[in-house]
Amino acid sequence: LQLSQPLRYGENPHQSAAFYTDLSLREFNAGGVATSKVHWGKEMSYNNYLDADAAYQCACDYLEPTCTIVKHTNPCGVATRTDLREAYRLAVIADPISAFGGIVAFNRPVDESLAQEIKDYRSPQDGKTKMFYEIVIAPSYTPAALEILKSKSKNLRILEAKPRAPSGLSLRQVAGGWLSQAADSLAPEAIEFKCVSKAQPTPKQLEDLKFAWRCVKHVKSNAITIAKDGRLLGMGSGQPNRVNSVRIAIEKSGKEVEGAVLASDAFFPFSWNDSVEIACKAGVKAIVHPGGSIRDQDAIDCCDKYGVVLLTTGHRHFRH
């Protein structure tokens, strides 16, 4: 490890902090936030690095052009569109309150028209307030795009980084030691989605289920994502019990939950009058979870009662 930058403080002002880069061969030319170029803005902080990394890894995990907005390391908005301007708008709309002051990440270059959209876009809350962000990060920018983003705010951090989806080694410190694991690089393309319900998924539902499944692995457990038409509608994160994450995701999705799909990062321990039935009653039409609970049959029976599609993956995406 090499000291890259002393930081003003850590997560809180009373905590000292610094940023180090990994010079090992396994990280050579691997890309990501650690080797990003800061084109503009205030000095990066401890929390900035954490949030930028979470946002960029989520965006780069998608194969299609995607915008991800993150707050406190959780994606609050994700959308995939050929037109990144539309993807950006849909990502904001998913949760404009959380998006304000967040980190915006793209997995494709930012051009002049996209930069102008980022600069001028008003909050859907009142249609007047310009959206404020801590960071914009992307693989590259056109010269005109950089100048437009610089004019948005003297404090906006503009980062350019080689794309990097989750990969390599993941290290976390515990008191007196370290935990090491391989990064959660498992993608939907490497998973068999098995339908266990009477209702079968339409091609569109299957596409949205894979979108939601890719997203849910980037959300803190217990994690729930609700999606439709290649965009995140609502997510529930970090709740000690799964049913509260379901309720939060449904609330954030609003009326659009009708006909949407839901992904859960781990199996449902209970279904009746719990997570699965609550989702079915709210209007969710397709659900994907790992399976593996002793009460899996309850989830199947509940979905069959409401005519909802249920898929299992055989893989869990816990994120602590």
Side-chain angles (χ1 to χ4, degrees):
L1 296 179
Q2 177 177 290
L3 178 63
S4 175
Q5 176 190 353
L7 301 176
R8 286 176 296 159
Y9 52 80
E11 286 188 277
N12 301 291
H14 63 273
Q15 296 172 267
S16 59
F19 178 63
Y20 293 82
T21 50
D22 187 342
L23 301 181
S24 64
L25 286 176
R26 69 170 176 266
E27 287 296 321
F28 178 74
N29 205 33
V33 169
T35 54
S36 61
K37 178 179 181 180
V38 182
H39 286 285
W40 183 260
K42 290 174 63 177
E43 179 183 348
M44 290 283 286
S45 72
Y46 182 96
N47 292 332
N48 288 156
Y49 276 113
L50 285 176
D51 287 337
D53 183 58
Y56 203 45
Q57 287 203 47
C58 182
C60 293
D61 208 10
Y62 283 86
L63 306 180
E64 304 83 4
T66 299
C67 174
T68 296
I69 302 178
V70 157
K71 194 69 159 295
H72 297 301
T73 72
N74 278 302
C76 58
V78 182
T80 292
R81 289 292 187 276
T82 302
D83 185 348
L84 276 177
R85 293 173 301 174
E86 183 182 2
Y88 163 70
R89 289 190 293 265
L90 291 173
V92 175
I93 289 170
D95 188 349
I97 296 175
S98 298
F100 196 89
I103 282 73
V104 183
F106 299 96
N107 64 354
R108 296 290 193 277
V110 174
D111 62 14
E112 183 177 355
S113 62
L114 176 55
Q116 196 69 51
E117 187 72 20
I118 296 168
K119 178 184 176 182
D120 295 338
Y121 191 67
R122 263 60 174 179
S123 170
Q125 292 291 107
D126 60 12
K128 299 178 181 179
T129 305
K130 281 190 176 183
M131 294 298 294
F132 161 74
Y133 303 114
E134 291 281 349
I135 297 168
V136 174
I137 181 169
S140 64
Y141 303 83
T142 64
L146 271 179
E147 293 308 310
I148 291 169
L149 289 176
K150 288 177 182 179
S151 70
K152 180 173 174 62
S153 169
K154 65 179 181 180
N155 294 325
L156 175 66
R157 301 162 182 88
I158 305 172
L159 272 61
E160 179 176 326
K162 181 179 178 180
R164 181 170 182 171
S167 61
L169 188 66
S170 174
L171 294 172
R172 294 183 70 175
Q173 190 171 17
V174 295
W178 293 84
L179 289 169
S180 169
Q181 67 172 351
D184 187 0
S185 59
L186 187 64
E189 292 76 22
I191 295 173
E192 179 186 359
F193 288 76
K194 181 181 178 183
C195 185
V196 293
S197 61
K198 292 178 181 177
Q200 298 294 306
T202 65
K204 187 66 179 66
Q205 284 177 328
L206 185 57
E207 185 179 331
D208 279 338
L209 286 164
K210 290 180 178 180
F211 175 95
W213 184 252
R214 197 188 301 270
C215 184
V216 81
K217 84 173 186 182
H218 294 275
V219 178
K220 295 287 186 181
S221 300
N222 287 304
I224 297 292
T225 54
I226 295 177
K228 184 195 294 181
D229 299 329
R231 62 188 179 104
L232 180 67
L233 299 180
M235 66 88 179
S237 65
Q239 299 302 303
N241 65 75
R242 192 157 302 277
V243 66
N244 278 350
S245 287
V246 170
R247 290 188 177 113
I248 292 170
I250 290 171
E251 179 184 356
K252 288 185 176 182
S253 300
K255 294 180 180 179
E256 290 192 278
V257 70
E258 180 64 39
V261 307
L262 179 150
S264 174
D265 67 333
F267 65 63
F268 296 104
F270 301 98
S271 299
W272 297 108
N273 198 32
D274 206 278
S275 299
V276 177
E277 189 168 26
I278 289 170
C280 291
K281 286 183 175 180
V284 169
K285 295 303 180 185
I287 297 172
V288 60
H289 75 135
S293 167
I294 60 173
R295 298 183 181 87
D296 270 0
Q297 190 59 47
D298 285 351
I300 296 170
D301 292 343
C302 185
C303 285
D304 284 345
K305 175 184 175 181
Y306 291 94
V308 170
V309 173
L310 180 63
L311 272 59
T312 60
T313 65
H315 296 277
R316 189 180 71 188
H317 278 311
F318 269 171
R319 186 177 181 86
H320 289 80

